[in-house]
Short mmCIF file of all heavy atoms in Angstrom, two decimals:
data_model
loop_
_atom_site.label_atom_id
_atom_site.label_comp_id
_atom_site.label_asym_id
_atom_site.label_seq_id
_atom_site.Cartn_x
_atom_site.Cartn_y
_atom_site.Cartn_z
N LEU B 7 -9.42 19.20 24.16
CA LEU B 7 -9.74 18.07 25.05
C LEU B 7 -9.12 18.27 26.41
O LEU B 7 -9.73 18.01 27.45
CB LEU B 7 -9.16 16.77 24.48
CG LEU B 7 -9.96 15.99 23.48
CD1 LEU B 7 -9.34 14.63 23.31
CD2 LEU B 7 -11.39 15.84 23.99
N ALA B 19 -7.93 11.00 27.78
CA ALA B 19 -8.42 9.76 27.17
C ALA B 19 -9.90 9.58 27.41
O ALA B 19 -10.65 9.34 26.47
CB ALA B 19 -7.62 8.59 27.72
N SER B 22 -11.92 11.91 25.36
CA SER B 22 -11.94 11.48 23.98
C SER B 22 -12.93 10.34 23.78
O SER B 22 -13.75 10.38 22.86
CB SER B 22 -10.53 11.02 23.56
OG SER B 22 -10.57 10.39 22.32
N TYR B 23 -12.86 9.36 24.62
CA TYR B 23 -13.79 8.25 24.53
C TYR B 23 -15.24 8.72 24.54
O TYR B 23 -16.04 8.37 23.67
CB TYR B 23 -13.58 7.27 25.69
CG TYR B 23 -12.35 6.41 25.55
CD1 TYR B 23 -11.47 6.26 26.61
CD2 TYR B 23 -12.06 5.77 24.35
CE1 TYR B 23 -10.34 5.48 26.50
CE2 TYR B 23 -10.93 4.98 24.23
CZ TYR B 23 -10.06 4.84 25.30
OH TYR B 23 -8.95 4.08 25.16
N TYR B 50 -16.71 23.49 23.02
CA TYR B 50 -15.62 22.71 22.45
C TYR B 50 -15.88 22.33 21.00
O TYR B 50 -16.96 21.90 20.65
CB TYR B 50 -15.43 21.42 23.27
CG TYR B 50 -14.49 20.44 22.64
CD1 TYR B 50 -13.12 20.71 22.60
CD2 TYR B 50 -14.95 19.25 22.09
CE1 TYR B 50 -12.25 19.80 22.02
CE2 TYR B 50 -14.10 18.35 21.52
CZ TYR B 50 -12.75 18.62 21.49
OH TYR B 50 -11.88 17.74 20.90
N ASN B 53 -10.60 19.43 17.10
CA ASN B 53 -9.61 19.90 16.11
C ASN B 53 -9.37 18.81 15.09
O ASN B 53 -8.66 17.85 15.34
CB ASN B 53 -8.33 20.26 16.85
CG ASN B 53 -7.30 20.83 15.91
OD1 ASN B 53 -7.28 20.51 14.74
ND2 ASN B 53 -6.43 21.68 16.42
N LYS B 57 -6.87 15.40 14.64
CA LYS B 57 -7.50 14.10 14.39
C LYS B 57 -6.92 13.47 13.12
O LYS B 57 -6.57 12.30 13.07
CB LYS B 57 -8.99 14.31 14.22
CG LYS B 57 -9.87 13.33 14.95
CD LYS B 57 -11.34 13.72 14.78
CE LYS B 57 -12.09 13.39 16.06
NZ LYS B 57 -13.48 13.82 16.05
N LYS B 60 -3.39 12.25 13.44
CA LYS B 60 -3.35 11.01 14.20
C LYS B 60 -3.80 9.80 13.37
O LYS B 60 -3.17 8.76 13.36
CB LYS B 60 -4.22 11.16 15.44
CG LYS B 60 -4.31 9.96 16.32
CD LYS B 60 -2.98 9.72 16.99
CE LYS B 60 -2.97 8.41 17.74
NZ LYS B 60 -1.66 8.10 18.30
P DC D 8 1.59 21.45 23.84
OP1 DC D 8 1.54 22.48 24.86
OP2 DC D 8 1.16 20.06 24.18
"O5'" DC D 8 0.71 21.91 22.61
"C5'" DC D 8 1.06 23.00 21.79
"C4'" DC D 8 0.57 22.71 20.37
"O4'" DC D 8 1.55 21.88 19.74
"C3'" DC D 8 -0.71 21.89 20.35
"O3'" DC D 8 -1.82 22.80 20.28
"C2'" DC D 8 -0.58 21.05 19.09
"C1'" DC D 8 0.93 21.08 18.78
N1 DC D 8 1.63 19.76 18.81
C2 DC D 8 2.33 19.29 17.72
O2 DC D 8 2.37 19.99 16.69
N3 DC D 8 3.00 18.10 17.80
C4 DC D 8 2.96 17.40 18.94
N4 DC D 8 3.62 16.24 18.96
C5 DC D 8 2.23 17.86 20.07
C6 DC D 8 1.58 19.02 19.98
P DG D 9 -2.99 22.74 21.33
OP1 DG D 9 -3.80 23.94 21.13
OP2 DG D 9 -2.46 22.41 22.67
"O5'" DG D 9 -3.83 21.47 20.84
"C5'" DG D 9 -4.53 21.54 19.62
"C4'" DG D 9 -5.11 20.17 19.32
"O4'" DG D 9 -4.02 19.23 19.20
"C3'" DG D 9 -6.02 19.61 20.44
"O3'" DG D 9 -7.22 19.21 19.82
"C2'" DG D 9 -5.22 18.50 21.06
"C1'" DG D 9 -4.35 18.04 19.89
N9 DG D 9 -3.08 17.45 20.26
C8 DG D 9 -2.29 17.76 21.35
N7 DG D 9 -1.18 17.04 21.41
C5 DG D 9 -1.25 16.21 20.29
C6 DG D 9 -0.34 15.22 19.83
O6 DG D 9 0.73 14.89 20.32
N1 DG D 9 -0.80 14.62 18.66
C2 DG D 9 -1.97 14.93 18.03
N2 DG D 9 -2.24 14.24 16.93
N3 DG D 9 -2.84 15.84 18.44
C4 DG D 9 -2.41 16.44 19.58
P DC D 10 -8.34 18.38 20.59
OP1 DC D 10 -9.63 18.71 19.96
OP2 DC D 10 -8.17 18.53 22.04
"O5'" DC D 10 -7.98 16.86 20.19
"C5'" DC D 10 -8.22 16.45 18.87
"C4'" DC D 10 -7.50 15.14 18.63
"O4'" DC D 10 -6.18 15.23 19.17
"C3'" DC D 10 -8.11 13.96 19.34
"O3'" DC D 10 -9.04 13.36 18.45
"C2'" DC D 10 -6.92 13.05 19.59
"C1'" DC D 10 -5.71 13.94 19.35
N1 DC D 10 -4.73 13.96 20.46
C2 DC D 10 -3.66 13.09 20.40
O2 DC D 10 -3.58 12.30 19.45
N3 DC D 10 -2.74 13.11 21.38
C4 DC D 10 -2.85 13.98 22.38
N4 DC D 10 -1.90 13.99 23.34
C5 DC D 10 -3.93 14.88 22.48
C6 DC D 10 -4.86 14.83 21.50
P DT D 11 -9.91 12.14 18.99
OP1 DT D 11 -10.98 11.92 18.00
OP2 DT D 11 -10.25 12.38 20.41
"O5'" DT D 11 -8.92 10.89 18.91
"C5'" DT D 11 -8.58 10.39 17.62
"C4'" DT D 11 -7.69 9.20 17.77
"O4'" DT D 11 -6.59 9.50 18.67
"C3'" DT D 11 -8.35 7.96 18.34
"O3'" DT D 11 -7.86 6.88 17.57
"C2'" DT D 11 -7.85 7.88 19.78
"C1'" DT D 11 -6.46 8.49 19.62
N1 DT D 11 -5.85 9.15 20.81
C2 DT D 11 -4.54 8.83 21.12
O2 DT D 11 -3.88 8.02 20.52
N3 DT D 11 -4.04 9.51 22.20
C4 DT D 11 -4.68 10.47 22.96
O4 DT D 11 -4.10 11.02 23.90
C5 DT D 11 -6.05 10.75 22.58
C7 DT D 11 -6.82 11.76 23.36
C6 DT D 11 -6.57 10.08 21.53
P DT D 12 -8.61 5.46 17.53
OP1 DT D 12 -8.57 4.98 16.15
OP2 DT D 12 -9.88 5.58 18.28
"O5'" DT D 12 -7.63 4.52 18.38
"C5'" DT D 12 -6.25 4.51 18.07
"C4'" DT D 12 -5.50 3.82 19.18
"O4'" DT D 12 -5.18 4.75 20.23
"C3'" DT D 12 -6.28 2.67 19.84
"O3'" DT D 12 -5.37 1.65 20.13
"C2'" DT D 12 -6.77 3.31 21.15
"C1'" DT D 12 -5.53 4.15 21.44
N1 DT D 12 -5.72 5.26 22.44
C2 DT D 12 -4.61 5.68 23.13
O2 DT D 12 -3.50 5.20 23.00
N3 DT D 12 -4.87 6.72 24.00
C4 DT D 12 -6.07 7.32 24.24
O4 DT D 12 -6.18 8.24 25.06
C5 DT D 12 -7.19 6.82 23.47
C7 DT D 12 -8.55 7.42 23.65
C6 DT D 12 -6.97 5.82 22.61
P DT D 13 -5.87 0.09 20.07
OP1 DT D 13 -6.05 -0.24 18.65
OP2 DT D 13 -6.97 -0.13 21.06
"O5'" DT D 13 -4.54 -0.63 20.61
"C5'" DT D 13 -3.26 -0.07 20.29
"C4'" DT D 13 -2.39 -0.06 21.55
"O4'" DT D 13 -2.75 1.07 22.37
"C3'" DT D 13 -2.52 -1.31 22.42
"O3'" DT D 13 -1.23 -1.79 22.72
"C2'" DT D 13 -3.27 -0.81 23.66
"C1'" DT D 13 -2.80 0.65 23.70
N1 DT D 13 -3.69 1.59 24.43
C2 DT D 13 -3.14 2.47 25.33
O2 DT D 13 -1.95 2.49 25.60
N3 DT D 13 -4.05 3.32 25.93
C4 DT D 13 -5.40 3.38 25.72
O4 DT D 13 -6.08 4.20 26.31
C5 DT D 13 -5.91 2.44 24.74
C7 DT D 13 -7.37 2.43 24.47
C6 DT D 13 -5.06 1.60 24.15
P DC D 14 -1.06 -3.33 23.28
OP1 DC D 14 0.09 -3.90 22.58
OP2 DC D 14 -2.37 -4.01 23.28
"O5'" DC D 14 -0.64 -3.03 24.78
"C5'" DC D 14 0.28 -1.96 25.04
"C4'" DC D 14 0.11 -1.52 26.49
"O4'" DC D 14 -1.05 -0.69 26.60
"C3'" DC D 14 -0.11 -2.67 27.46
"O3'" DC D 14 0.97 -2.68 28.39
"C2'" DC D 14 -1.45 -2.40 28.11
"C1'" DC D 14 -1.61 -0.88 27.88
N1 DC D 14 -2.99 -0.37 27.87
C2 DC D 14 -3.29 0.78 28.58
O2 DC D 14 -2.40 1.36 29.23
N3 DC D 14 -4.58 1.26 28.57
C4 DC D 14 -5.52 0.60 27.86
N4 DC D 14 -6.76 1.12 27.87
C5 DC D 14 -5.22 -0.56 27.12
C6 DC D 14 -3.97 -1.01 27.15
P DA D 15 1.12 -3.89 29.39
OP1 DA D 15 2.54 -4.34 29.25
OP2 DA D 15 0.00 -4.86 29.25
"O5'" DA D 15 0.97 -3.14 30.77
"C5'" DA D 15 1.54 -1.82 30.90
"C4'" DA D 15 0.85 -1.12 32.04
"O4'" DA D 15 -0.48 -0.72 31.63
"C3'" DA D 15 0.66 -2.00 33.29
"O3'" DA D 15 1.10 -1.24 34.42
"C2'" DA D 15 -0.82 -2.29 33.32
"C1'" DA D 15 -1.39 -1.01 32.67
N9 DA D 15 -2.71 -1.18 32.06
C8 DA D 15 -3.10 -2.13 31.18
N7 DA D 15 -4.36 -2.01 30.82
C5 DA D 15 -4.81 -0.88 31.50
C6 DA D 15 -6.04 -0.23 31.53
N6 DA D 15 -7.10 -0.63 30.84
N1 DA D 15 -6.14 0.85 32.32
C2 DA D 15 -5.08 1.25 33.04
N3 DA D 15 -3.88 0.71 33.07
C4 DA D 15 -3.80 -0.37 32.28
#
Side-chain angles (χ1 to χ4, degrees):
Chain B
L7 273 192
S22 169
Y23 286 133
Y50 171 70
N53 183 332
K57 225 176 215 175
K60 179 69 188 175

